[in-house]
Amino acid sequence: MKIGELARLAGSNVETIRYYERKGLLPIPARSEGNYRIYGPMHQERLTFIRHCRGLDMTLDEIRTLLHFKESPEENCGEVNRLLDDHIGHVVHRIGELQALEKQLQELRGRCPDERRASTCGILEGLSQSGINEKPMENHIPGVHGTALKSPKEPE
Amino acid sequence: MKIGELARLAGSNVETIRYYERKGLLPIPARSEGNYRIYGPMHQERLTFIRHCRGLDMTLDEIRTLLHFKESPEENCGEVNRLLDDHIGHVVHRIGELQALEKQLQELRGRCPDERRASTCGILEGLSQSGINEKPMENHIPGVHGTALKSPKEPE
DNA sequence: TAAAAACCCTTGAGTCGCTACAAGGTCAAG
DNA sequence: CTTGACCTTGTAGCGACTCAAGGGTTTTTA
Ligand SMILES: [Zn+2]
Ligand SMILES: [Zn+2]
Ligand SMILES: [Zn+2]
Ligand SMILES: [Zn+2]
């Protein structure tokens, strides 16, 4: 099967498949005479696995680890289980952050119940004040991973 | 004041300040004889405002809008209030997504209560099956904004 | 006073997980 | 033989930064 069909079958997209190949998540496929990538059922299974994982918001690194265990069936799966626990931790952590965020935002919203001149808007005022969200949340993470709003790292 | 001091005062970081300047969020400062950026209290206030907003996970675009209203005190602040409502919506939406995600992950985790051979790991098995998270969540968003896991867009 | 340290400058590239071209090659049907 | 769907490589872009190279300037210290 060629790349377009694989994409359709896995509900994915051609460029994404080539991207996964570059990133080492999908094994390099055979090529046809005309230099087309040729895939078999194992590629399809693997791609589907990857997409399931991405649907659960895992990073490509996390997925790489899981794929390793898929390929070595006699290894102990403890690390898989731990990886999932950690990942659940990522999600739970992020939920907590966002709930705190919502509270702050609601509080801020409450400061301007009506429409006024911008100079007296309680929201703009609140955002200018120190005291509201003085320091960025520690470990403030977009999605469930990655890094955003790091505080400037202190010299060692 | 020079850029380093401003960074310290605002709990920010020098590169970020220059980045905001490039992006038009901070007004272009005067320069010293030695070509150093020279800032005053208004720059500090503005940067602090921006950092507060980022601490609340707003995009730079959202912040740009707020800054506009800060600068035009006699405009009506209705749009500010709406922007905040929308942004609260972004956060609430994302919380809902992450809670659904956590449920799925917990369910998956339950499939492998002990450590076994990888070939019989309930988690790896679950991720391979169709049926679990068949299609990516609609509108699955990293952070509170942006777009990830778009399904391939259909031709118009 | 001169060297060393600390600060600042610009430019350009890297991060993540894709998406979207552009310019061309290949293949089946009509 | 031509059309058009499909494929190829390569490059650039998103957001919000972060970091490194290779300089110039200012401040501190010996
Ligand atoms: Zn994770
Ligand atoms: Zn208002
Ligand atoms: Zn928002
Ligand atoms: Zn297991």
Side-chain angles (χ1 to χ4, degrees):
Chain A
M1 127 181 62
K2 285 182 286 180
I3 200 168
E5 200 188 338
L6 177 61
R8 269 187 301 279
L9 286 175
S12 180
N13 147 330
V14 171
E15 280 97 346
T16 306
I17 294 173
R18 288 195 285 246
Y19 175 75
Y20 288 158
E21 183 184 324
R22 280 202 300 284
K23 292 288 157 179
L25 289 162
L26 279 176
I28 290 166
R31 295 288 182 132
S32 77
E33 226 171 301
N35 197 33
Y36 289 7
R37 287 172 178 82
I38 301 298
Y39 297 98
M42 89 79 142
H43 290 95
Q44 192 191 330
E45 198 199 305
R46 224 166 132 123
L47 178 55
T48 304
F49 183 92
I50 295 170
R51 293 268 88 199
H52 284 162
C53 293
R54 286 293 299 132
L56 298 171
D57 229 339
M58 296 178 195
T59 62
L60 298 191
D61 270 352
E62 285 169 334
I63 298 169
R64 231 186 302 269
T65 303
L66 293 182
L67 284 169
H68 164 80
F69 282 92
K70 272 214 94 181
E71 270 174 6
S72 30
E74 56 282 340
E75 273 188 65
N76 181 289
C77 81
E79 200 183 324
V80 171
N81 303 7
R82 271 191 300 283
L83 189 150
L84 209 72
D85 285 336
D86 287 351
H87 182 63
I88 291 170
H90 302 158
V91 175
V92 168
H93 180 85
R94 181 58 170 159
I95 290 172
E97 284 183 340
L98 290 182
Q99 282 169 341
L101 194 53
E102 192 200 340
K103 237 179 98 184
Q104 284 198 57
L105 286 166
Q106 296 287 8
E107 192 272 324
L108 188 62
R109 181 62 182 88
R111 296 191 188 198
C112 189
D114 48 359
E115 302 194 6
R116 337 176 171 165
R117 292 179 69 243
S119 56
T120 61
C121 173
I123 292 170
L124 293 174
E125 202 187 353
L127 286 167
S128 301
Q129 274 168 28
S130 49
I132 195 164
N133 206 29
E134 191 76 35
K135 51 188 79 173
M137 295 190 228
E138 30 161 330
N139 216 4
H140 191 196
I141 284 169
V144 249
H145 303 102
T147 46
L149 275 179
K150 286 182 205 152
S151 340
K153 88 176 154 199
E154 48 229 303
E156 324 128 41
Chain B
M1 135 180 57
K2 287 183 285 180
I3 201 168
E5 200 188 339
L6 177 61
R8 269 188 302 278
L9 287 175
S12 180
N13 150 328
V14 170
E15 280 96 349
T16 305
I17 295 173
R18 289 195 283 245
Y19 174 75
Y20 289 158
E21 183 184 324
R22 282 202 298 286
K23 292 289 157 179
L25 289 162
L26 279 176
I28 291 167
R31 296 286 183 133
S32 77
E33 225 172 303
N35 198 32
Y36 288 8
R37 289 171 179 82
I38 301 299
Y39 297 98
M42 89 78 144
H43 290 96
Q44 191 192 332
E45 199 199 303
R46 220 163 137 125
L47 178 55
T48 304
F49 184 93
I50 296 171
R51 293 268 87 201
H52 284 162
C53 292
R54 287 291 301 132
L56 298 171
D57 227 340
M58 296 178 195
T59 62
L60 298 191
D61 270 352
E62 286 170 333
I63 297 168
R64 228 185 302 270
T65 301
L66 294 182
L67 283 169
H68 164 79
F69 281 92
K70 272 212 93 181
E71 271 175 5
S72 30
E74 57 281 341
E75 274 189 64
N76 180 288
C77 80
E79 199 182 326
V80 171
N81 303 6
R82 272 191 300 283
L83 190 151
L84 209 73
D85 285 337
D86 288 351
H87 182 64
I88 291 171
H90 301 158
V91 174
V92 168
H93 180 84
R94 181 59 169 160
I95 290 172
E97 284 183 340
L98 290 183
Q99 282 169 340
L101 193 54
E102 191 200 340
K103 239 180 97 183
Q104 283 196 58
L105 286 166
Q106 296 287 9
E107 192 273 324
L108 187 63
R109 181 63 182 85
R111 296 190 187 199
C112 190
D114 48 357
E115 302 194 6
R116 339 176 169 165
R117 293 180 68 244
S119 56
T120 61
C121 173
I123 292 170
L124 293 175
E125 203 187 352
L127 286 168
S128 301
Q129 276 168 28
S130 48
I132 195 164
N133 205 28
E134 191 75 37
K135 53 188 76 174
M137 294 191 231
E138 30 161 331
N139 215 5
H140 191 195
I141 284 169
V144 250
H145 303 102
T147 46
L149 276 178
K150 287 182 205 152
S151 343
K153 89 174 153 199
E154 48 228 302
E156 329 124 42

